[in-house]
Amino acid sequence: KKGNYAKSWKSLAAHLEILLPDAAYTILSFIGLALFGYFSGLLGFTLENYRLDNFWESLAEFSIENIGKIIVSFIGFVIYAFFIGVGRDSMKFGMIKAVIESKKNILSEAWKNKHLFYMRIVGLKFKVFMIFFALSVILGVIIGLSALTSTKLLSFIALIILLFSLLLASIILL
């Protein structure tokens, strides 16, 4: 309904502190992404190999040589983003609940009471992640089996598709 939509925007404008957890999450996500780039070696790679004529072949070679570091760093980033995201969501639910109940909305109260929603959000996100992870594994197996008979470049493309599907799953998880 049009009236509810306008009322929601007015309520958000009156309670801009609800956006603070999102701002903090964005900053922490960029820090985590920079750490992922640093520990996986991708940050140094992109700074060294900025020429496009040889870039994709170099990236394929680098990825195959450093697959362990990339996977461990990626898993670390997903876990980091998961816990930061769940904390953000649980704080926001508390803050939105306070707005709905016309209570005073204080960020410190939301931080203190975030445990009320934490495990519910963890369970929900875990279930969604498992669905997408299972689909990603199936896709990875199919692509991996087809790449066994192909060149390095096709194996690299299969790896990129698998990592992209895991990235998609982690974005949904966040």
Side-chain angles (χ1 to χ4, degrees), residues 45-46 48-59:
F45 172 79
T46 56
E48 293 171 6
N49 299 306
Y50 54 87
R51 291 182 42 206
L52 288 178
D53 59 342
N54 195 13
F55 178 77
W56 293 110
E57 290 176 19
S58 299
L59 183 60

Side-chain angles (χ1 to χ4, degrees), residues 10-47:
K10 286 179 185 177
S11 180
L12 178 63
H15 301 283
L16 288 177
E17 68 273 6
I18 291 176
L19 299 177
L20 286 176
D22 290 317
Y25 175 76
T26 302
I27 292 168
L28 291 173
S29 292
F30 280 120
I31 291 170
L33 192 59
L35 289 172
F36 164 71
Y38 175 76
F39 287 119
S40 68
L42 288 172
L43 187 62
F45 172 79
T46 56
L47 293 176

Side-chain angles (χ1 to χ4, degrees), residues 23-147:
Y25 175 76
T26 302
I27 292 168
L28 291 173
S29 292
F30 280 120
I31 291 170
L33 192 59
L35 289 172
F36 164 71
Y38 175 76
F39 287 119
S40 68
L42 288 172
L43 187 62
F45 172 79
T46 56
L47 293 176
E48 293 171 6
N49 299 306
Y50 54 87
R51 291 182 42 206
L52 288 178
D53 59 342
N54 195 13
F55 178 77
W56 293 110
E57 290 176 19
S58 299
L59 183 60
E61 221 172 275
F62 175 84
S63 298
I64 291 170
E65 291 171 3
N66 296 301
I67 189 69
K69 284 173 46 176
I70 292 171
I71 289 174
V72 168
S73 298
F74 180 74
I75 290 170
F77 174 71
V78 169
I79 291 170
Y80 168 83
F82 174 78
F83 286 111
I84 298 294
V86 169
R88 176 209 55 201
D89 291 346
S90 58
M91 283 181 63
K92 284 190 70 160
F93 280 142
M95 294 173 83
I96 290 169
K97 183 179 177 194
V99 168
I100 291 171
E101 294 174 348
S102 299
K103 293 181 180 177
K104 190 171 183 180
N105 200 0
I106 300 173
L107 190 61
S108 61
E109 285 295 315
W111 177 262
K112 188 171 75 174
N113 294 326
K114 72 180 178 177
H115 68 281
L116 297 173
F117 300 103
Y118 198 84
M119 290 313 293
R120 292 181 202 166
I121 295 170
V122 167
L124 179 65
K125 288 186 179 254
F126 181 74
K127 290 173 188 172
V128 170
F129 176 75
M130 289 310 293
I131 291 169
F132 278 93
F133 184 74
L135 293 173
S136 298
V137 168
I138 291 168
L139 178 67
V141 167
I142 291 170
I143 293 172
L145 289 174
S146 69

